[in-house]
Amino acid sequence: MGKINHVEKLTDNRFVNLYHVDATSVHDTPVSYYVASRARSVGELKLKTGKNTPDGVIIYSIYGEQRDKVVLIRQYRYTLGGYIYEFPAGLVEPGEDFRQGAVREMYEETGLKLETLKVDEAYEKPYFTTVGMTDESCATVYGYASGTVSRAAQEDSEEIEVVFADRDEVRRILKEERVAIMCAYMLMHFLNDEEPFAFLK
């Protein structure tokens, strides 16, 4: 196993920072590695704590009387210089239960009310997003959305369009659009399961 010798924080931003990791590989060669993290200090990095507390939450929700539409957002992302389809999502605030964070984020991004489902821990525990460049992990919350779309609670920095996609639209989106990978995998379930949350049982 590799050995971490020293970690240095390189930036001091609000939501994400860059850290430099000086290490030695299992083959006894020097390693210079960079990690983007939601951690506010070196001591809070997951490589230091060994804990996997969720930085964020992803919301897979179904909408409509027939429960035949999935709630997506089409969001402008500066990393791409364009739009991408995602699930509603956001950061978990300090001391906040991630399920509560999901309800809050759903309202803030879409104006919709989220009724969460109780599921086995294996389906909602935090999993890592892009481990080659970040220690970020996100929990997934499942549920049913209701209400009317509103942009009133969105931040000024956000450019979000709410989309209710049926199976035909989901097929089109997967074929033709940019889609976040975690969202894409869940949309594949949505296409193939008669009951959208059948895989949770």
Side-chain angles (χ1 to χ4, degrees), residues 50-92:
K51 296 178 181 177
N52 182 17
T53 52
D55 301 288
V57 64
I58 299 166
I59 307 154
Y60 177 18
S61 62
I62 303 300
Y63 184 85
E65 288 184 12
Q66 303 301 314
R67 294 185 169 175
D68 60 347
K69 295 179 176 66
V70 62
V71 181
L72 302 174
I73 59 172
R74 180 176 176 266
Q75 183 166 198
Y76 181 85
R77 290 292 194 179
Y78 293 101
T79 48
L80 302 176
Y83 293 90
I84 186 169
Y85 283 81
E86 307 173 70
F87 284 134
L91 297 179
V92 178

Side-chain angles (χ1 to χ4, degrees), residues 92-159:
V92 178
E93 295 181 352
E96 181 180 48
D97 177 83
F98 68 83
R99 295 168 201 86
Q100 295 172 335
V103 173
R104 174 184 53 75
E105 285 289 348
M106 176 63 101
Y107 175 75
E108 290 177 1
E109 292 200 343
T110 70
L112 300 173
K113 178 183 177 183
L114 178 67
E115 177 190 347
T116 62
L117 291 177
K118 185 174 176 59
V119 300
D120 187 278
E121 180 185 348
Y123 295 105
E124 67 176 7
K125 73 178 233 188
Y127 289 102
F128 294 95
T129 55
T130 311
V131 76
M133 62 179 291
T134 179
D135 67 350
E136 180 185 62
S137 66
C138 292
T140 305
V141 173
Y142 309 84
Y144 295 101
S146 61
T148 305
V149 171
S150 170
R151 293 182 174 86
Q154 288 181 9
E155 296 179 13
D156 290 341
S157 60
E158 294 178 319
E159 191 175 334

Side-chain angles (χ1 to χ4, degrees), residues 178-196:
R178 293 172 170 174
V179 185
I181 191 167
M182 292 170 288
C183 177
Y185 287 146
M186 290 299 185
L187 292 180
M188 293 172 197
H189 276 294
F190 179 73
L191 282 181
N192 292 291
D193 294 342
E194 188 173 329
E195 154 60 39

Side-chain angles (χ1 to χ4, degrees), residues 4-13 16-22 33 35-51 135:
I4 295 171
N5 303 313
H6 179 71
V7 182
E8 179 185 5
K9 185 180 182 185
L10 301 180
T11 60
D12 190 25
N13 299 310
V16 64
N17 282 289
L18 185 65
Y19 294 82
H20 177 249
V21 179
D22 175 75
Y33 208 90
V35 177
S37 179
R38 304 289 186 185
R40 292 165 299 197
S41 68
V42 170
E44 292 180 15
L45 288 166
K46 291 184 175 73
L47 62 84
K48 289 289 188 179
T49 67
K51 296 178 181 177
D135 67 350

